[in-house]
Amino acid sequence: MKILFIGDIFGNPGRKAAKEMVQKLKKERQIDFCIANGENAAGGSGITYVVAQELYKYGIDAITLGNHTWSKKEIMNFIDSDSNIVRPANYPVELPGRGSTVICGENGKVGILNLMGRIYMDSIDCPFKAAESELEYLKNNCKVIIVDMHAEATSEKCALAWYLDGRVSCVLGTHTHVQTADERILPFGTAFISDVGMTGPYDGIIGVNREIVIQKFLTHMPVRFEVATGRVQFNAVYLEIDEKTGKTTGIERIYEILEV
């Protein structure tokens, strides 16, 4: 099974990059499933119904979220009804949405689990315990399981990958918007990368207009962030997974600069 996972899609520039690259890569690499982190897809913070439908139109099969899940209030109107969107499973159980899902295609089924870290982030439930709970359901329904660990600290992401080694197909870090060069396959077949990176403005500062960010550092005054303009980057990982065992046999980083 061949899977493309796209790093945090940031604003309209990120969506344009996804539009250009997803269909191209699906054809070139015969991708079976495409998953993307879309928590910043609408204006650089949150996601809307219209934006989610736009991403599906481009060939993205499922969307994971993160700490900006609730940034657009309208998500409350559709997150329960869209089974292809997952928010962090370690949010309180009373909140709408789901922390995991199973998507089906011509070549099989894929389980998707979304978790969020707690180091330097909001104080929420334990991602390790949430993973245990969600895996009880997922492993009864599919062999291939993709985990998006949306977290700040590399140590926390790495610890989760080792904790789940052999029980999930991969643990893919998101959130920092900077692609790391530490992709590997752990001893029992779980692929890991600290951060897949960002699909969005290349000439900004992690997607934001660089002048605004510089002023914030210089003055320490509140500012309104704006999505940067200019060149766009596309960050993703390509995975080859044995659908019979759920073990990953190959992981490759993708990093392209586009003029869109």
Side-chain angles (χ1 to χ4, degrees), residues 178-179 196-198 202 233-236 253-257:
V178 178
Q179 189 180 82
V196 179
M198 177 191 70
Y202 179 73
Q233 65 187 40
F234 179 86
N235 288 180
R253 282 180 292 123
I254 299 173
Y255 193 127
E256 293 200 26
I257 309 299

Side-chain angles (χ1 to χ4, degrees), residues 15 33 77 104 151 161 174 187 209 242 259:
R15 302 200 307 273
F33 293 98
N77 299 327
C104 302
T174 59
N209 181 308
D242 184 337
E259 300 284 348

Side-chain angles (χ1 to χ4, degrees), residues 22-232:
V22 170
Q23 290 301 323
K24 175 186 174 184
L25 289 169
K26 278 193 168 185
K27 291 178 181 178
E28 290 177 355
R29 303 199 182 214
Q30 298 180 320
I31 301 295
D32 296 305
F33 293 98
C34 178
I35 305 161
N37 184 288
E39 70 138 11
N40 292 309
S45 182
I47 191 167
T48 64
Y49 177 82
V50 170
V51 166
Q53 299 309 306
E54 181 182 337
L55 297 181
Y56 295 145
K57 182 180 177 181
Y58 297 157
I60 292 169
D61 300 300
I63 299 168
T64 59
L65 301 173
N67 59 300
H68 291 297
T69 294
W70 317 112
S71 293
K72 297 288 188 287
K73 291 182 179 179
E74 72 169 79
I75 195 172
M76 296 292 189
N77 299 327
F78 67 89
I79 192 170
D80 275 330
S81 60
D82 191 335
S83 61
N84 293 331
I85 292 181
V86 290
R87 47 82 170 160
N90 52 321
Y91 271 133
V93 295
E94 296 83 3
L95 294 180
R98 58 189 55 78
S100 67
T101 195
V102 176
I103 58 174
C104 302
E106 294 180 1
N107 295 317
K109 299 189 294 185
V110 173
I112 304 168
L113 171 59
N114 194 191
L115 298 166
M116 191 162 75
R118 297 190 292 181
I119 299 176
Y120 307 125
M121 298 185 76
D122 293 338
S123 179
I124 56 175
D125 297 340
C126 176
F128 294 79
K129 291 180 180 178
E132 291 286 359
S133 177
E134 296 290 335
L135 285 178
E136 287 186 22
Y137 159 74
L138 291 172
K139 293 188 77 66
N140 287 329
N141 287 276
C142 54
K143 290 286 188 181
V144 177
I145 300 173
I146 310 298
V147 180
D148 175 353
M149 176 55 162
H150 198 78
E152 189 79 32
T154 299
S155 58
E156 191 174 18
K157 299 178 189 182
C158 190
L160 183 77
W162 280 102
Y163 181 68
L164 297 178
D165 184 24
R167 296 194 284 162
V168 300
S169 303
C170 59
V171 173
L172 308 174
T174 59
H175 177 65
T176 70
H177 295 194
V178 178
Q179 189 180 82
T180 55
D182 60 343
E183 72 279 12
R184 62 184 295 190
I185 298 175
L186 300 180
F188 295 106
T190 295
F192 171 68
I193 185 170
S194 290
D195 207 286
V196 179
M198 177 191 70
T199 293
Y202 179 73
D203 293 316
I205 296 175
I206 60 173
V208 178
N209 181 308
R210 60 182 181 271
E211 295 302 327
I212 293 174
V213 177
I214 290 169
Q215 283 303 308
K216 181 172 178 60
F217 279 114
L218 287 172
T219 66
H220 205 63
M221 293 295 290
V223 296
R224 182 182 294 276
F225 286 157
E226 297 175 2
V227 177
T229 58
R231 293 175 295 173
V232 179

